[in-house]
Amino acid sequence: MKFLKNNAGQTFLPMRLLMSIVVIAVIATLFYLGLKHIMPAMAENKVERQITELEAMFNEMISGDARNLDIMENYKESPGERRTFKFDLPSSLAYLGIGTDPDPNNDGKIEKGIVEDGRIIVFKIKGRNKKICWLDENIKIRLGNYTNNNWLIKEPDEGLIITSGGKYSITFELVSYHGEKYILVYAD
């Protein structure tokens, strides 16, 4: 009895396996490239949602009672309108400035100081462009300084700068100083 030999299958199966591996590699590469562009956009949207909530909170606060810093009212005894905001910032955050633009020259050097009288929120996600949110003209942010058992406006004026992602719980208080209302940030 003689068996017939067919060698066609010997080359067909390895070629099919090789083609499957190539197709899987191409799909994985396309998925990675798509994900690489989608993730920063999702992180940006996450921060934008929180800024919208923060801006709404500021708009509600500004019509409340303000603690008078001119007569050194203590924050424990006669607090102004006070609220705590919980941030959940993505790990790809380059910076978030409340009351300031941390990188006004777009050169990567973080600078402190008030921008536009503290009526601004600026953030940047790594690999994306800087985003700016202009606040109402009545909202003026100032970084606080805990001195002599009281929260006062830090001199010289600064805004809050956060340079990494994570969870933050930050308190804001409405104060008045020299006839102007400010939202004081408890973050010394």
Side-chain angles (χ1 to χ4, degrees):
M1 179 167 200
K2 204 173 191 189
F3 289 102
L4 297 174
K5 246 182 161 179
N6 184 352
N7 294 335
Q10 290 176 350
T11 57
F12 180 71
L13 289 176
M15 279 303 272
R16 192 167 208 175
L17 178 64
L18 181 63
M19 290 303 291
S20 297
I21 292 172
V22 167
V23 168
I24 290 170
V26 167
I27 291 171
T29 302
L30 290 174
F31 179 75
Y32 170 75
L33 292 175
L35 197 59
K36 185 177 174 183
H37 293 288
I38 289 172
M39 293 305 284
M42 288 173 51
E44 201 169 74
N45 287 338
K46 182 178 184 177
V47 176
E48 284 176 346
R49 280 192 307 274
Q50 292 178 70
I51 288 174
T52 300
E53 291 173 24
L54 184 64
E55 183 180 12
M57 184 182 85
F58 289 160
N59 284 322
E60 289 173 10
M61 286 179 68
I62 202 69
S63 61
D65 293 328
R67 175 169 58 100
N68 191 340
L69 298 182
D70 293 322
I71 59 173
M72 299 298 284
E73 286 184 323
N74 189 285
Y75 80 106
K76 290 180 182 175
E77 296 165 5
S78 49
E81 179 78 24
R82 190 182 303 163
R83 305 223 180 138
T84 299
F85 191 85
K86 294 183 186 301
F87 289 97
D88 184 9
L89 301 171
S91 59
S92 57
L93 180 79
Y95 58 76
L96 168 65
I98 301 173
T100 187
D101 181 351
D103 187 9
N105 302 321
N106 296 320
D107 58 6
K109 295 178 184 173
I110 301 296
E111 296 179 18
K112 298 179 179 181
I114 291 296
V115 173
E116 294 295 324
D117 205 19
R119 298 181 301 113
I120 190 170
I121 298 175
V122 180
F123 77 94
K124 182 176 181 181
I125 299 296
K126 294 172 187 163
R128 304 287 284 187
N129 291 329
K130 177 191 319 189
K131 295 282 188 166
I132 300 172
C133 173
W134 296 101
L135 301 173
D136 185 85
E137 65 185 29
N138 297 324
I139 299 171
K140 299 172 185 171
I141 311 294
R142 294 293 187 272
L143 186 64
N145 187 23
Y146 191 71
T147 308
N148 299 327
N149 296 320
N150 202 8
W151 279 100
L152 304 172
I153 293 176
K154 186 171 186 164
E155 298 284 336
D157 293 340
E158 292 181 18
L160 175 67
I161 300 173
I162 299 173
T163 57
S164 63
K167 295 184 185 230
Y168 300 89
S169 183
I170 299 175
T171 300
F172 299 91
E173 181 189 13
L174 185 63
V175 298
S176 67
Y177 186 59
H178 297 306
E180 294 281 335
K181 284 186 175 181
Y182 298 97
I183 295 180
L184 189 67
V185 182
Y186 290 12
D188 191 21

